[in-house]
Amino acid sequence: MSDALRAALDAVEARSPRYADDLAAYVRIPSVSTDAAHAPDVEAAARWTAERLTRAGFPDVRVMPTGGHPVVVARWHHDPSAPTVVVYGHYDVQPPEPLELWDTPPFEPQVKDGKLYGRGASDDKAGVLTAIQAVEATAAAGGVPPVNVTFLIEGEEEVGSPNLLPFLEANRELLEADLAISADGGIFGVGVPSLTVGSRGLAGVEIRVRGANADLHSGMYGGAVANPLMALSRILASMQDEEGRVLVEGFYDGIPELTPAERAAIEAVPAEGDELAQLGLTEWWGDPAYSARERRLVRPTLEVNGMWGGYQGPGIKTVLPSEAHAKVTCRLVAGQEPDDVAAKLKAHVERVAPRGVSVSVTPLAGKARAYQMPLDLPVLELAADAMEGVFGKRPFPVWTGGTVPVAEQFQSVLGIWCLYFAFGEPDNGLHAPNEFFRLSTLKQGTEATVRLLYGLAGDPGALTPARG
Ligand SMILES: [Zn+2]
């Protein structure tokens, strides 16, 4: 271990008794981004974030307006020959409701058994503080951080980051960097480090099927007029075969085949109990060419999320409905474009629509591309070294089957990989009552981030550009 790293870890050790007070002060600000009544609190959290970055030594700290809540940008650039990292996180939080399920008030943080309880404690105020504390410790040891550092802390993550992509696009030069580090995310378990290497994208459409211009009497028109609900059923059923393969033309185009290394890494992720039994199921379902885990994490999906139409009240109503509706969304993987998939869904619906009805297909909001890091990316090795140095265990790659647009936005807008380096644990109660963060993890995360920053400084060649 270098003297500089040793000194920075000593600085963490010396400062760590104060970390809980900082987290408590941060959590005390009810920065609920979705609730207009909390707008002043969201502003206050932005200012608190900016002040904390200034206190850590950042010479350039800005609270920058957006179409919604502000973005805090802090820069500490001191060596043009050193790499630059941009740390992403968010200072906004989920609403605390239902309040009656909290053991202590959500915005009056309390420490019990080494855990600090409060809304946002884990998601993402501990994440933001972990990264700030790490930079602060390296600067305490070496005068300046080992790499150039930019922070980008937004206030709208919990409402889907509607202004983040335009902000990235408008501030490319300000945010120019060799690597993004997401301080929002988590590890596999308490003391069990992992590195998130992929998330899926999203595309969807709403389908509307119309028959006659009004509901009809089935005794007068049944059998002679097309039924929109039956037509919709045929359309939806035609999208997938009995084993779950998607039959929409071109749906799988451009998707690279999983490599043997990827398939092995996916199967190596530890199982989380008997999930089938927990779900009340006896078997998984879907394309037999892939394991259930592959289908849940790295293969694209097509699901009907809702369908409605016709009479749903008590008893009988012999009606021939005039309209039927459905919402269909797809989780996407690398190689698929959301707009392209939505267009293929539309073309499919129009091609298979039965005679006697008309169809309209509208894309749904919320589209996003997938994100996938190559497993042999050098920066993943550096990140694994940093985590192993603290946890004594090598992290393994994990995937999220869900959609997290920010990493892919760093890739496509700034041309850099986004390394998830964050320490939330599955039991932290994210978005739920009694959210907490372990003070021991707050310190471990800080130590791991210190190690990562020195690792990046020592091996700048590991910071490879991201292919778009
Ligand atoms: Zn978060």
Side-chain angles (χ1 to χ4, degrees):
M1 186 185 301
S2 73
D3 290 349
L5 173 56
R6 168 51 53 208
L9 293 174
D10 287 346
V12 172
E13 191 65 44
R15 283 153 195 272
S16 60
R18 304 203 293 272
Y19 290 168
D21 288 345
D22 257 0
L23 182 55
Y26 207 7
V27 170
R28 208 165 280 130
I29 308 170
S31 47
V32 180
S33 51
T34 195
D35 185 348
H38 279 294
D41 301 316
V42 178
E43 293 275 339
R47 281 198 307 278
W48 194 96
T49 308
E51 280 159 20
R52 183 67 188 85
L53 285 155
T54 302
R55 182 147 54 93
F58 278 77
D60 173 3
V61 180
R62 317 170 191 198
V63 178
M64 298 177 69
T66 72
H69 298 307
V71 171
V72 180
V73 173
R75 304 207 311 163
W76 197 339
H77 292 200
H78 55 83
D79 182 356
S81 69
T84 301
V85 299
V86 54
V87 174
Y88 166 82
H90 62 92
Y91 62 79
D92 65 321
V93 302
Q94 282 276 316
E97 286 79 9
L99 294 175
E100 65 276 15
L101 295 185
W102 285 79
D103 296 332
T104 56
F107 298 111
E108 294 172 31
Q110 304 192 23
V111 177
K112 276 185 294 184
D113 304 326
K115 302 168 186 166
L116 188 143
Y117 286 84
R119 169 57 81 232
S122 180
D123 184 13
D124 179 32
K125 287 176 172 172
V128 173
L129 283 176
T130 295
I132 297 176
Q133 289 159 184
V135 172
E136 184 175 54
T138 62
V144 289
V147 293
N148 300 309
V149 184
T150 302
F151 271 61
L152 164 63
I153 310 298
E154 68 154 322
E156 297 186 310
E157 195 277 341
E158 301 295 3
V159 290
S161 302
N163 291 292
L164 186 64
L165 181 59
F167 188 86
L168 292 178
E169 286 171 339
N171 293 282
R172 279 175 219 261
E173 278 167 42
L174 183 71
L175 301 171
E176 191 177 355
D178 302 291
L179 176 73
I181 296 173
S182 176
D184 187 24
I187 51 177
F188 187 80
V190 180
V192 185
S194 60
L195 288 165
T196 302
V197 296
S199 60
R200 290 191 289 193
L202 190 70
V205 295
E206 182 163 331
I207 303 168
R208 180 181 188 191
V209 179
R210 268 181 283 195
N213 55 13
D215 287 1
L216 301 176
H217 190 303
S218 74
M220 294 166 69
Y221 297 101
V225 169
N227 183 318
L229 279 165
M230 289 295 283
L232 178 63
S233 303
R234 288 182 204 285
I235 291 168
L236 295 174
S238 74
M239 291 182 161
Q240 210 170 42
D241 73 12
E242 314 76 56
E243 292 192 297
R245 292 176 204 89
V246 176
L247 300 176
V248 173
E249 196 178 329
F251 183 77
Y252 295 109
D253 287 359
I255 300 174
E257 203 35 73
L258 295 174
T259 66
E262 284 169 334
R263 298 191 91 155
I266 291 161
E267 293 311 317
V269 178
E272 295 176 69
D274 186 348
E275 290 190 274
L276 278 175
Q278 288 161 19
L279 295 169
L281 294 170
T282 53
E283 59 184 309
W284 298 110
W285 180 87
D287 186 347
Y290 298 89
S291 71
R293 185 173 276 180
E294 287 167 348
R295 299 195 299 267
R296 292 172 60 197
L297 297 178
V298 295
R299 289 291 294 165
T301 69
L302 184 152
E303 296 296 342
V304 180
N305 305 122
M307 47 196 297
W308 65 99
Y311 181 66
Q312 290 158 62
I316 184 172
K317 183 182 182 197
T318 50
V319 70
L320 207 162
S322 74
E323 289 197 4
H325 306 256
K327 286 182 195 281
V328 175
T329 59
C330 301
R331 297 285 178 178
L332 309 181
V333 300
Q336 291 180 300
E337 282 294 325
D339 288 341
D340 178 59
V341 170
K344 284 169 175 165
L345 292 173
K346 180 173 160 65
H348 179 91
V349 171
E350 288 169 351
R351 185 170 60 79
V352 303
R355 288 170 47 214
V357 297
S358 64
V359 294
S360 63
V361 181
T362 322
L364 291 169
K367 67 178 178 176
R369 289 196 196 100
Y371 179 69
Q372 177 66 58
M373 300 173 95
L375 294 184
D376 56 1
L377 210 58
V379 76
L380 287 173
E381 285 299 302
L382 290 183
D385 292 343
M387 284 191 170
E388 189 176 12
V390 173
F391 293 96
K393 296 181 189 123
R394 198 125 187 111
F396 46 83
V398 296
W399 284 258
T400 164
T403 300
V404 191
V406 58
E408 192 282 328
Q409 292 175 358
F410 279 113
Q411 181 180 8
S412 60
V413 179
L414 299 182
I416 55 178
W417 293 110
C418 178
L419 174 71
Y420 286 97
F421 204 76
F423 301 89
E425 295 144 341
D427 68 354
N428 286 175
L430 306 189
H431 300 201
N434 301 314
E435 179 178 352
F436 71 86
F437 200 72
R438 287 180 176 81
L439 298 177
S440 55
T441 309
L442 190 60
K443 186 179 169 204
Q444 287 178 311
T446 306
E447 291 169 338
T449 309
V450 164
R451 287 174 177 269
L452 176 67
L453 295 175
Y454 280 101
L456 296 171
D459 188 4
L463 296 167
T464 50
R467 41 180 168 70

